[in-house]
Amino acid sequence: MTSVRAISTPAIIGLTALAALGVVAYGYGEFGGWNAEGAGAAARYTARFSFPIFVAAWSASALATLWPGGWRSVMVRRRRAIGLSFAAAHFVHLAALLVGVFVFAAQPSAKTIYGGGFTYLLIAAMALTSNNWSVRKLGLRNWKMLHTIGGLAIAIVFAVSYLGRLDEKAWLAIPALTLLGSAALLKLLAWMKKRAPEAA
Ligand code: HEM
C-alpha cells in the first residue's frame, strides 16, 4: 500500500484536479447535462470540494506545532502538495464559474467578482511561489507574508460565502464555518505556543 509520503506532489495535484473535474461532471449530470442549472451546481460543488483541502493546508503547521508527530508531521511535510492541490481544485471552480458566466449568462455580484477575483490573483501568486527558488528569490520573510495574507484572504472569502448561506443552507454553512473557525483557533493557539516564554 503506497503511503501518502511516497506519492509525488505532481501526482497528488493531478489526482485532485481530476477529482475536481469529476465533481464538475457530477454537477452537470445532476441537472440533466449542459445547462445553466448544471453550471451553477458545478460552481457550488467545486467550491465545496476545494474547501476542506484549503482548511487542511491552512491548519497543517498549527496542528504539527500543537501536537507534533504522527499524521500531523506528514501533513506539514506535504503542505506544499496540499496547498497546490487546493489551488488546482479551486482553479477548476474558476473554470466552472466562467462557463456559468460566459456560456449561461450567470451574473455574480460585483462583490463576488472583485473580492473573488482579487483572491484568485493571490491564489495564483501563492501557487507560483510554492517552490524553493521563489522562497530564495523573495526571501523567507516576504514569502511568508504573501502566503499568510493569501491564506487569510481565502479564509475570509470562504467565511463570507458561508455566512451568506446561513439562512438558506444552514446544514452546509454551520459545519463549514465551524471547521474554518476551528482552524483559525488552532492557528491562534499555535502562534501563542510559539511565543510562550518557555518556547523561547
Ligand atoms: C471571480 C471570482 C469568483 C466568482 C465569479 C465566483 C462565483 C461563484 C458562483 C457563481 C457560485 C455558485 C453560486 C450558487 O449557485 O449558489 C460560487 C459558489 C461559491 N464560491 Fe465562488 N466565485 C469566485 C471566487 C471564489 C473564491 C476565491 C472562493 C473562496 C476562496 C469562492 C468560494 C465559493 C463558495 C464557498 C461557494 C459556495 C459553495 C456552496 O454552495 O457550498 N469563490 N462562486
Side-chain angles (χ1 to χ4, degrees), residues 3-45:
S3 78
V4 173
R5 290 192 187 95
I7 305 177
S8 74
T9 295
I12 294 176
I13 299 168
L15 288 171
T16 308
L18 270 182
L21 291 172
V23 169
V24 169
Y26 174 79
Y28 281 101
E30 190 187 8
F31 287 88
W34 187 246
N35 55 48
E37 289 71 31
R44 287 192 297 280
Y45 298 161

mmCIF file of all heavy atoms in Angstrom, residues 3-45:
data_model
loop_
_atom_site.group_PDB
_atom_site.id
_atom_site.type_symbol
_atom_site.label_atom_id
_atom_site.label_comp_id
_atom_site.label_asym_id
_atom_site.label_seq_id
_atom_site.Cartn_x
_atom_site.Cartn_y
_atom_site.Cartn_z
ATOM 1 N N SER A 3 2.049 4.731 0.719
ATOM 2 C CA SER A 3 1.600 5.729 1.709
ATOM 3 C C SER A 3 1.649 7.117 1.088
ATOM 4 O O SER A 3 2.311 7.330 0.074
ATOM 5 C CB SER A 3 2.529 5.689 2.933
ATOM 6 O OG SER A 3 3.707 6.393 2.582
ATOM 7 N N VAL A 4 0.958 8.056 1.765
ATOM 8 C CA VAL A 4 0.905 9.443 1.288
ATOM 9 C C VAL A 4 2.313 9.984 1.112
ATOM 10 O O VAL A 4 2.627 10.726 0.200
ATOM 11 C CB VAL A 4 0.127 10.329 2.287
ATOM 12 C CG1 VAL A 4 0.214 11.799 1.901
ATOM 13 C CG2 VAL A 4 -1.319 9.879 2.369
ATOM 14 N N ARG A 5 3.195 9.519 2.028
ATOM 15 C CA ARG A 5 4.579 10.015 1.959
ATOM 16 C C ARG A 5 5.176 9.771 0.584
ATOM 17 O O ARG A 5 5.962 10.557 0.067
ATOM 18 C CB ARG A 5 5.460 9.279 2.989
ATOM 19 C CG ARG A 5 5.154 9.642 4.430
ATOM 20 C CD ARG A 5 6.244 9.103 5.347
ATOM 21 N NE ARG A 5 5.905 9.300 6.741
ATOM 22 C CZ ARG A 5 5.317 8.367 7.490
ATOM 23 N NH1 ARG A 5 5.023 7.199 6.979
ATOM 24 N NH2 ARG A 5 5.008 8.625 8.755
ATOM 25 N N ALA A 6 4.805 8.626 -0.056
ATOM 26 C CA ALA A 6 5.503 8.202 -1.266
ATOM 27 C C ALA A 6 4.902 8.815 -2.530
ATOM 28 O O ALA A 6 5.545 8.865 -3.555
ATOM 29 C CB ALA A 6 5.441 6.679 -1.368
ATOM 30 N N ILE A 7 3.650 9.313 -2.450
ATOM 31 C CA ILE A 7 3.015 9.829 -3.677
ATOM 32 C C ILE A 7 3.639 11.185 -4.001
ATOM 33 O O ILE A 7 3.729 12.050 -3.142
ATOM 34 C CB ILE A 7 1.494 9.980 -3.507
ATOM 35 C CG1 ILE A 7 0.865 8.651 -3.064
ATOM 36 C CG2 ILE A 7 0.850 10.461 -4.800
ATOM 37 C CD1 ILE A 7 -0.638 8.750 -2.795
ATOM 38 N N SER A 8 4.070 11.373 -5.245
ATOM 39 C CA SER A 8 4.755 12.617 -5.609
ATOM 40 C C SER A 8 3.781 13.790 -5.609
ATOM 41 O O SER A 8 2.571 13.608 -5.793
ATOM 42 C CB SER A 8 5.361 12.485 -7.012
ATOM 43 O OG SER A 8 4.302 12.551 -7.967
ATOM 44 N N THR A 9 4.327 14.986 -5.422
ATOM 45 C CA THR A 9 3.484 16.191 -5.404
ATOM 46 C C THR A 9 2.713 16.351 -6.712
ATOM 47 O O THR A 9 1.497 16.548 -6.682
ATOM 48 C CB THR A 9 4.351 17.420 -5.093
ATOM 49 O OG1 THR A 9 4.855 17.265 -3.762
ATOM 50 C CG2 THR A 9 3.568 18.714 -5.192
ATOM 51 N N PRO A 10 3.364 16.230 -7.896
ATOM 52 C CA PRO A 10 2.595 16.360 -9.149
ATOM 53 C C PRO A 10 1.452 15.341 -9.228
ATOM 54 O O PRO A 10 0.365 15.655 -9.710
ATOM 55 C CB PRO A 10 3.645 16.108 -10.232
ATOM 56 C CG PRO A 10 4.950 16.419 -9.601
ATOM 57 C CD PRO A 10 4.806 16.054 -8.152
ATOM 58 N N ALA A 11 1.681 14.126 -8.702
ATOM 59 C CA ALA A 11 0.628 13.101 -8.750
ATOM 60 C C ALA A 11 -0.548 13.512 -7.869
ATOM 61 O O ALA A 11 -1.709 13.387 -8.269
ATOM 62 C CB ALA A 11 1.188 11.756 -8.291
ATOM 63 N N ILE A 12 -0.252 14.049 -6.680
ATOM 64 C CA ILE A 12 -1.328 14.478 -5.776
ATOM 65 C C ILE A 12 -2.130 15.621 -6.423
ATOM 66 O O ILE A 12 -3.360 15.601 -6.417
ATOM 67 C CB ILE A 12 -0.740 14.925 -4.418
ATOM 68 C CG1 ILE A 12 -0.115 13.739 -3.681
ATOM 69 C CG2 ILE A 12 -1.798 15.588 -3.550
ATOM 70 C CD1 ILE A 12 0.584 14.096 -2.376
ATOM 71 N N ILE A 13 -1.423 16.577 -7.040
ATOM 72 C CA ILE A 13 -2.106 17.704 -7.687
ATOM 73 C C ILE A 13 -2.959 17.208 -8.849
ATOM 74 O O ILE A 13 -4.121 17.584 -8.999
ATOM 75 C CB ILE A 13 -1.081 18.742 -8.177
ATOM 76 C CG1 ILE A 13 -0.273 19.299 -7.008
ATOM 77 C CG2 ILE A 13 -1.765 19.871 -8.937
ATOM 78 C CD1 ILE A 13 0.943 20.100 -7.414
ATOM 79 N N GLY A 14 -2.377 16.312 -9.660
ATOM 80 C CA GLY A 14 -3.089 15.772 -10.818
ATOM 81 C C GLY A 14 -4.342 15.015 -10.419
ATOM 82 O O GLY A 14 -5.426 15.214 -10.998
ATOM 83 N N LEU A 15 -4.216 14.177 -9.392
ATOM 84 C CA LEU A 15 -5.374 13.391 -8.929
ATOM 85 C C LEU A 15 -6.467 14.316 -8.393
ATOM 86 O O LEU A 15 -7.653 14.108 -8.647
ATOM 87 C CB LEU A 15 -4.916 12.407 -7.837
ATOM 88 C CG LEU A 15 -4.081 11.218 -8.305
ATOM 89 C CD1 LEU A 15 -3.522 10.452 -7.105
ATOM 90 C CD2 LEU A 15 -4.929 10.303 -9.192
ATOM 91 N N THR A 16 -6.057 15.379 -7.669
ATOM 92 C CA THR A 16 -7.038 16.314 -7.127
ATOM 93 C C THR A 16 -7.764 17.056 -8.246
ATOM 94 O O THR A 16 -8.982 17.205 -8.212
ATOM 95 C CB THR A 16 -6.342 17.343 -6.203
ATOM 96 O OG1 THR A 16 -5.551 16.664 -5.252
ATOM 97 C CG2 THR A 16 -7.346 18.224 -5.506
ATOM 98 N N ALA A 17 -6.997 17.498 -9.258
ATOM 99 C CA ALA A 17 -7.621 18.210 -10.390
ATOM 100 C C ALA A 17 -8.592 17.285 -11.122
ATOM 101 O O ALA A 17 -9.713 17.695 -11.466
ATOM 102 C CB ALA A 17 -6.536 18.710 -11.332
ATOM 103 N N LEU A 18 -8.207 16.026 -11.287
ATOM 104 C CA LEU A 18 -9.094 15.044 -11.949
ATOM 105 C C LEU A 18 -10.370 14.856 -11.135
ATOM 106 O O LEU A 18 -11.475 14.851 -11.683
ATOM 107 C CB LEU A 18 -8.366 13.695 -12.071
ATOM 108 C CG LEU A 18 -7.542 13.461 -13.333
ATOM 109 C CD1 LEU A 18 -6.932 12.052 -13.292
ATOM 110 C CD2 LEU A 18 -8.420 13.634 -14.567
ATOM 111 N N ALA A 19 -10.208 14.737 -9.817
ATOM 112 C CA ALA A 19 -11.381 14.556 -8.952
ATOM 113 C C ALA A 19 -12.283 15.787 -9.042
ATOM 114 O O ALA A 19 -13.516 15.654 -9.105
ATOM 115 C CB ALA A 19 -10.928 14.339 -7.507
ATOM 116 N N ALA A 20 -11.690 16.986 -9.105
ATOM 117 C CA ALA A 20 -12.491 18.224 -9.210
ATOM 118 C C ALA A 20 -13.263 18.246 -10.533
ATOM 119 O O ALA A 20 -14.419 18.662 -10.578
ATOM 120 C CB ALA A 20 -11.578 19.437 -9.102
ATOM 121 N N LEU A 21 -12.632 17.741 -11.602
ATOM 122 C CA LEU A 21 -13.332 17.659 -12.893
ATOM 123 C C LEU A 21 -14.478 16.643 -12.808
ATOM 124 O O LEU A 21 -15.543 16.845 -13.396
ATOM 125 C CB LEU A 21 -12.346 17.295 -14.002
ATOM 126 C CG LEU A 21 -11.325 18.385 -14.339
ATOM 127 C CD1 LEU A 21 -10.272 17.871 -15.299
ATOM 128 C CD2 LEU A 21 -12.036 19.613 -14.912
ATOM 129 N N GLY A 22 -14.269 15.586 -12.021
ATOM 130 C CA GLY A 22 -15.338 14.608 -11.786
ATOM 131 C C GLY A 22 -16.514 15.274 -11.073
ATOM 132 O O GLY A 22 -17.687 15.004 -11.381
ATOM 133 N N VAL A 23 -16.196 16.191 -10.156
ATOM 134 C CA VAL A 23 -17.243 16.922 -9.430
ATOM 135 C C VAL A 23 -18.029 17.819 -10.393
ATOM 136 O O VAL A 23 -19.252 17.926 -10.312
ATOM 137 C CB VAL A 23 -16.604 17.768 -8.296
ATOM 138 C CG1 VAL A 23 -17.593 18.734 -7.690
ATOM 139 C CG2 VAL A 23 -16.003 16.861 -7.227
ATOM 140 N N VAL A 24 -17.313 18.425 -11.352
ATOM 141 C CA VAL A 24 -17.981 19.244 -12.373
ATOM 142 C C VAL A 24 -18.960 18.374 -13.165
ATOM 143 O O VAL A 24 -20.131 18.738 -13.346
ATOM 144 C CB VAL A 24 -16.946 19.879 -13.329
ATOM 145 C CG1 VAL A 24 -17.620 20.492 -14.546
ATOM 146 C CG2 VAL A 24 -16.122 20.935 -12.601
ATOM 147 N N ALA A 25 -18.482 17.200 -13.602
ATOM 148 C CA ALA A 25 -19.337 16.294 -14.391
ATOM 149 C C ALA A 25 -20.561 15.885 -13.569
ATOM 150 O O ALA A 25 -21.689 15.852 -14.088
ATOM 151 C CB ALA A 25 -18.521 15.057 -14.794
ATOM 152 N N TYR A 26 -20.351 15.648 -12.269
ATOM 153 C CA TYR A 26 -21.476 15.274 -11.393
ATOM 154 C C TYR A 26 -22.503 16.403 -11.332
ATOM 155 O O TYR A 26 -23.715 16.175 -11.433
ATOM 156 C CB TYR A 26 -20.967 14.955 -9.978
ATOM 157 C CG TYR A 26 -22.083 14.696 -8.992
ATOM 158 C CD1 TYR A 26 -22.733 13.469 -8.957
ATOM 159 C CD2 TYR A 26 -22.525 15.705 -8.140
ATOM 160 C CE1 TYR A 26 -23.786 13.252 -8.086
ATOM 161 C CE2 TYR A 26 -23.577 15.497 -7.270
ATOM 162 C CZ TYR A 26 -24.208 14.266 -7.245
ATOM 163 O OH TYR A 26 -25.264 14.073 -6.394
ATOM 164 N N GLY A 27 -22.005 17.659 -11.210
ATOM 165 C CA GLY A 27 -22.909 18.803 -11.146
ATOM 166 C C GLY A 27 -23.790 18.907 -12.385
ATOM 167 O O GLY A 27 -25.012 19.074 -12.295
ATOM 168 N N TYR A 28 -23.175 18.763 -13.549
ATOM 169 C CA TYR A 28 -23.957 18.815 -14.798
ATOM 170 C C TYR A 28 -24.879 17.603 -14.884
ATOM 171 O O TYR A 28 -26.056 17.724 -15.234
ATOM 172 C CB TYR A 28 -23.027 18.892 -16.010
ATOM 173 C CG TYR A 28 -22.476 20.263 -16.270
ATOM 174 C CD1 TYR A 28 -21.189 20.609 -15.885
ATOM 175 C CD2 TYR A 28 -23.255 21.234 -16.881
ATOM 176 C CE1 TYR A 28 -20.691 21.886 -16.096
ATOM 177 C CE2 TYR A 28 -22.782 22.510 -17.104
ATOM 178 C CZ TYR A 28 -21.496 22.838 -16.713
ATOM 179 O OH TYR A 28 -21.025 24.109 -16.925
ATOM 180 N N GLY A 29 -24.351 16.423 -14.509
ATOM 181 C CA GLY A 29 -25.158 15.198 -14.589
ATOM 182 C C GLY A 29 -26.407 15.299 -13.727
ATOM 183 O O GLY A 29 -27.498 14.891 -14.143
ATOM 184 N N GLU A 30 -26.265 15.924 -12.557
ATOM 185 C CA GLU A 30 -27.394 16.034 -11.617
ATOM 186 C C GLU A 30 -28.533 16.848 -12.219
ATOM 187 O O GLU A 30 -29.704 16.653 -11.895
ATOM 188 C CB GLU A 30 -26.913 16.688 -10.323
ATOM 189 C CG GLU A 30 -27.927 16.628 -9.204
ATOM 190 C CD GLU A 30 -27.481 17.449 -7.986
ATOM 191 O OE1 GLU A 30 -26.462 18.170 -8.080
ATOM 192 O OE2 GLU A 30 -28.186 17.386 -6.967
ATOM 193 N N PHE A 31 -28.205 17.801 -13.110
ATOM 194 C CA PHE A 31 -29.246 18.669 -13.690
ATOM 195 C C PHE A 31 -29.475 18.359 -15.160
ATOM 196 O O PHE A 31 -29.874 19.225 -15.936
ATOM 197 C CB PHE A 31 -28.885 20.139 -13.466
ATOM 198 C CG PHE A 31 -29.058 20.552 -12.029
ATOM 199 C CD1 PHE A 31 -28.018 20.389 -11.124
ATOM 200 C CD2 PHE A 31 -30.267 21.051 -11.580
ATOM 201 C CE1 PHE A 31 -28.176 20.740 -9.792
ATOM 202 C CE2 PHE A 31 -30.437 21.407 -10.241
ATOM 203 C CZ PHE A 31 -29.403 21.251 -9.344
ATOM 204 N N GLY A 32 -29.126 17.103 -15.532
ATOM 205 C CA GLY A 32 -29.519 16.656 -16.872
ATOM 206 C C GLY A 32 -28.652 17.176 -17.999
ATOM 207 O O GLY A 32 -29.086 17.244 -19.147
ATOM 208 N N GLY A 33 -27.417 17.581 -17.675
ATOM 209 C CA GLY A 33 -26.487 17.901 -18.750
ATOM 210 C C GLY A 33 -26.084 19.365 -18.845
ATOM 211 O O GLY A 33 -26.145 20.112 -17.871
ATOM 212 N N TRP A 34 -25.683 19.791 -20.047
ATOM 213 C CA TRP A 34 -25.046 21.071 -20.318
ATOM 214 C C TRP A 34 -26.091 22.186 -20.273
ATOM 215 O O TRP A 34 -26.651 22.552 -21.312
ATOM 216 C CB TRP A 34 -24.359 20.996 -21.685
ATOM 217 C CG TRP A 34 -23.517 22.176 -22.063
ATOM 218 C CD1 TRP A 34 -23.749 23.057 -23.075
ATOM 219 C CD2 TRP A 34 -22.251 22.550 -21.488
ATOM 220 N NE1 TRP A 34 -22.741 23.976 -23.159
ATOM 221 C CE2 TRP A 34 -21.818 23.706 -22.183
ATOM 222 C CE3 TRP A 34 -21.472 22.047 -20.444
ATOM 223 C CZ2 TRP A 34 -20.624 24.364 -21.870
ATOM 224 C CZ3 TRP A 34 -20.283 22.697 -20.137
ATOM 225 C CH2 TRP A 34 -19.866 23.837 -20.848
ATOM 226 N N ASN A 35 -26.379 22.703 -19.037
ATOM 227 C CA ASN A 35 -27.363 23.778 -18.921
ATOM 228 C C ASN A 35 -27.001 24.681 -17.742
ATOM 229 O O ASN A 35 -26.058 24.381 -16.993
ATOM 230 C CB ASN A 35 -28.781 23.188 -18.740
ATOM 231 C CG ASN A 35 -28.823 22.229 -17.565
ATOM 232 O OD1 ASN A 35 -28.331 22.543 -16.476
ATOM 233 N ND2 ASN A 35 -29.384 21.042 -17.780
ATOM 234 N N ALA A 36 -27.742 25.765 -17.567
ATOM 235 C CA ALA A 36 -27.399 26.779 -16.553
ATOM 236 C C ALA A 36 -27.446 26.203 -15.140
ATOM 237 O O ALA A 36 -26.570 26.499 -14.305
ATOM 238 C CB ALA A 36 -28.353 27.964 -16.668
ATOM 239 N N GLU A 37 -28.441 25.333 -14.855
ATOM 240 C CA GLU A 37 -28.541 24.741 -13.512
ATOM 241 C C GLU A 37 -27.319 23.869 -13.243
ATOM 242 O O GLU A 37 -26.740 23.890 -12.156
ATOM 243 C CB GLU A 37 -29.817 23.900 -13.375
ATOM 244 C CG GLU A 37 -31.114 24.685 -13.337
ATOM 245 C CD GLU A 37 -31.428 25.276 -14.707
ATOM 246 O OE1 GLU A 37 -31.055 24.649 -15.728
ATOM 247 O OE2 GLU A 37 -31.988 26.386 -14.745
ATOM 248 N N GLY A 38 -26.928 23.116 -14.295
ATOM 249 C CA GLY A 38 -25.740 22.263 -14.157
ATOM 250 C C GLY A 38 -24.499 23.099 -13.891
ATOM 251 O O GLY A 38 -23.651 22.746 -13.064
ATOM 252 N N ALA A 39 -24.396 24.247 -14.579
ATOM 253 C CA ALA A 39 -23.231 25.133 -14.403
ATOM 254 C C ALA A 39 -23.197 25.677 -12.974
ATOM 255 O O ALA A 39 -22.133 25.742 -12.340
ATOM 256 C CB ALA A 39 -23.298 26.277 -15.412
ATOM 257 N N GLY A 40 -24.381 26.046 -12.452
ATOM 258 C CA GLY A 40 -24.445 26.549 -11.080
ATOM 259 C C GLY A 40 -24.026 25.482 -10.088
ATOM 260 O O GLY A 40 -23.246 25.741 -9.159
ATOM 261 N N ALA A 41 -24.517 24.242 -10.310
ATOM 262 C CA ALA A 41 -24.161 23.130 -9.416
ATOM 263 C C ALA A 41 -22.655 22.851 -9.492
ATOM 264 O O ALA A 41 -22.004 22.645 -8.464
ATOM 265 C CB ALA A 41 -24.951 21.884 -9.799
ATOM 266 N N ALA A 42 -22.104 22.885 -10.707
ATOM 267 C CA ALA A 42 -20.670 22.635 -10.868
ATOM 268 C C ALA A 42 -19.856 23.686 -10.105
ATOM 269 O O ALA A 42 -18.863 23.359 -9.446
ATOM 270 C CB ALA A 42 -20.304 22.652 -12.355
ATOM 271 N N ALA A 43 -20.305 24.952 -10.140
ATOM 272 C CA ALA A 43 -19.591 26.015 -9.418
ATOM 273 C C ALA A 43 -19.703 25.792 -7.907
ATOM 274 O O ALA A 43 -18.706 25.877 -7.187
ATOM 275 C CB ALA A 43 -20.166 27.385 -9.798
ATOM 276 N N ARG A 44 -20.876 25.437 -7.442
ATOM 277 C CA ARG A 44 -21.068 25.207 -5.996
ATOM 278 C C ARG A 44 -20.251 24.010 -5.516
ATOM 279 O O ARG A 44 -19.500 24.101 -4.541
ATOM 280 C CB ARG A 44 -22.549 24.955 -5.685
ATOM 281 C CG ARG A 44 -23.442 26.161 -5.750
ATOM 282 C CD ARG A 44 -24.806 25.874 -5.163
ATOM 283 N NE ARG A 44 -25.558 24.858 -5.875
ATOM 284 C CZ ARG A 44 -26.234 25.080 -6.984
ATOM 285 N NH1 ARG A 44 -26.222 26.288 -7.542
ATOM 286 N NH2 ARG A 44 -26.927 24.114 -7.584
ATOM 287 N N TYR A 45 -20.389 22.900 -6.230
ATOM 288 C CA TYR A 45 -19.765 21.665 -5.760
ATOM 289 C C TYR A 45 -18.234 21.741 -5.816
ATOM 290 O O TYR A 45 -17.542 21.173 -4.966
ATOM 291 C CB TYR A 45 -20.269 20.463 -6.555
ATOM 292 C CG TYR A 45 -21.756 20.203 -6.430
ATOM 293 C CD1 TYR A 45 -22.432 19.421 -7.361
ATOM 294 C CD2 TYR A 45 -22.512 20.778 -5.405
ATOM 295 C CE1 TYR A 45 -23.810 19.203 -7.267
ATOM 296 C CE2 TYR A 45 -23.886 20.576 -5.306
ATOM 297 C CZ TYR A 45 -24.525 19.786 -6.239
ATOM 298 O OH TYR A 45 -25.875 19.595 -6.159
#
